[in-house]
Amino acid sequence: MPSNVCAVKFCKRQTRSKSCYRFPAASSALRHAWIQVCLRPSDWAPNENARMCRNHFRKEDILPSGVLRKGSTPFLPSSLKIRVMRRENKLANKELFLENADGWIQN
């Protein structure tokens, strides 16, 4: 069975195709909600191969057969939120140094 990588940024989960779900139809409010969970740049749009793994849905959103209930909205698990916050803080705290004639100065 082929594997897919989840479209949510920082979610590195690779799952079997039955555990991944295609994005809803274009130009729907539901599709927009899915894109917001992906934490991608505002101009990012999922292509036809983009999938979201089952970890971004509540258990009650997934039927026993593995099919996603119609109208299900994804979410970010708290463990992923923490990872995202750590990553953003790391980038924000990174100091940039420029070299000038007198040596190194902090920018």
Side-chain angles (χ1 to χ4, degrees):
M1 217 181 273
S3 67
N4 296 293
V5 177
C6 183
V8 177
K9 192 171 185 176
F10 304 118
C11 180
K12 303 202 186 313
R13 187 161 306 264
Q14 284 193 341
T15 59
R16 298 180 199 270
S17 57
K18 285 189 176 185
S19 299
C20 286
Y21 304 101
R22 291 178 186 260
F23 279 71
S27 36
S28 71
L30 188 58
R31 183 182 181 92
H32 181 71
W34 281 45
I35 291 171
Q36 293 300 313
V37 171
C38 288
L39 303 172
R40 300 285 179 172
S42 60
D43 62 343
W44 182 81
N47 63 23
E48 65 276 356
N49 297 319
R51 304 282 191 278
M52 193 174 291
C53 74
R54 70 181 313 139
N55 292 344
H56 303 289
F57 297 93
R58 295 184 311 273
K59 288 182 182 180
E60 55 268 14
D61 288 338
I62 301 170
L63 299 174
S65 62
V67 175
L68 191 63
R69 282 186 199 276
K70 189 175 182 177
S72 296
T73 305
F75 70 97
L76 283 177
S78 55
S79 59
L80 187 59
K81 287 180 188 175
I82 291 169
R83 195 177 327 153
V84 169
M85 288 186 331
R86 284 182 183 157
R87 174 82 174 163
E88 287 174 352
N89 286 339
K90 193 177 202 180
L91 293 174
N93 292 333
K94 196 178 238 183
E95 296 175 340
L96 297 175
F97 291 94
L98 299 174
E99 188 175 7
N100 67 9
D102 298 328
W104 291 95
I105 59 169
Q106 187 175 352
N107 190 18

